[in-house]
């Protein structure tokens, strides 16, 4: 099978885009990583900025979300000038094609558009190198999230 070609990233708008984001998350986190579905979706989904990566044919390749303002405060040490990147997921067939990096940059663009000065995230420990290559710096101790080890990371603009 020919790997998909990244057609681009965009802010998710409308019900169809949001459904595509949620389906990618379900496939990756619930289906592959065995995250319980009841903790995958939360109250922040309603107010978060969601981004979507699509193939040239329009099919969804990945997603991520940006929490901002009070919704992000619990993940940023209370710093309202910093957003929180989360729920970054890339479909199995699109991994290794630059989709994850494109999604991180799309979230950062949305953060800048909101006037934020940086982005925090909680990275699965196995993904630390990926985020470090994109300019993120780990801080604080390792902690469990959904049964997997994570570290907090931040990139300041």
């Amino acid at each position: 099978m020919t790997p998909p070609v990244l057609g681009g990233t965009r802010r998710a708008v409308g019900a169809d885009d949001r459904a595509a984001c949620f389906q990618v998350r379900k496939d990756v986190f619930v289906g592959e990583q065995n995250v319980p579905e009841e903790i995958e979706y939360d109250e922040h989904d309603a107010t978060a900025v969601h981004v979507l990566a699509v193939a040239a044919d329009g099919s969804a390749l990945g997603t991520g979300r940006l929490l901002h303002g009070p919704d992000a405060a619990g993940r940023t040490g209370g710093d309202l000038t910093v957003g929180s990147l989360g729920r970054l997921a890339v479909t199995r067939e699109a991994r290794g094609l630059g989709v994850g990096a494109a999604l991180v940059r799309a979230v950062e663009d949305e953060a800048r558009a909101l006037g934020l000065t940086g982005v925090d995230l909680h990275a699965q420990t196995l993904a630390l190198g990926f985020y470090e290559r994109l300019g993120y710096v780990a801080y604080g101790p390792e902690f469990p999230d959904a049964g997997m080890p994570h570290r907090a990371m931040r990139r300041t603009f």
Side-chain angles (χ1 to χ4, degrees), residues 37-155:
E37 192 164 0
E38 59 273 13
I39 68 169
E40 174 51 33
Y41 308 101
D42 61 25
E43 68 279 3
H44 300 302
D45 282 323
T47 55
V49 174
H50 298 267
V51 295
L52 182 63
V54 293
D57 68 4
S59 62
L61 298 178
T63 188
R65 75 175 187 184
L66 173 69
L67 303 182
H68 53 93
D71 289 343
R75 294 179 168 262
T76 64
D79 187 343
L80 297 179
T81 69
V82 176
S84 177
L85 184 158
R87 304 304 203 268
L88 186 74
V90 175
T91 62
R92 186 185 310 265
E93 61 272 13
R95 292 184 195 144
L97 303 176
V99 174
L103 285 164
V104 171
R105 296 302 184 222
V107 166
E108 292 171 349
D109 289 345
E110 294 293 339
R112 284 187 193 90
L114 291 169
L116 300 174
T117 62
V119 173
D120 264 22
L121 57 87
H122 292 168
Q124 292 180 15
T125 303
L126 294 173
L128 286 174
F130 167 77
Y131 290 109
E132 287 169 344
R133 288 188 294 279
L134 294 173
Y136 287 79
V137 177
Y139 66 90
E142 187 175 279
F143 60 91
D145 189 3
M148 293 171 273
H150 284 69
R151 292 276 311 275
M153 301 185 83
R154 177 173 287 186
R155 178 165 186 246

Side-chain angles (χ1 to χ4, degrees), residues 17-37:
D17 279 358
R18 183 148 313 192
C21 291
F22 289 175
Q23 186 61 53
V24 170
R25 286 169 48 185
K26 183 175 183 176
D27 293 346
V28 173
F29 296 125
V30 178
E32 292 180 35
Q33 296 182 1
N34 299 311
V35 172
E37 192 164 0

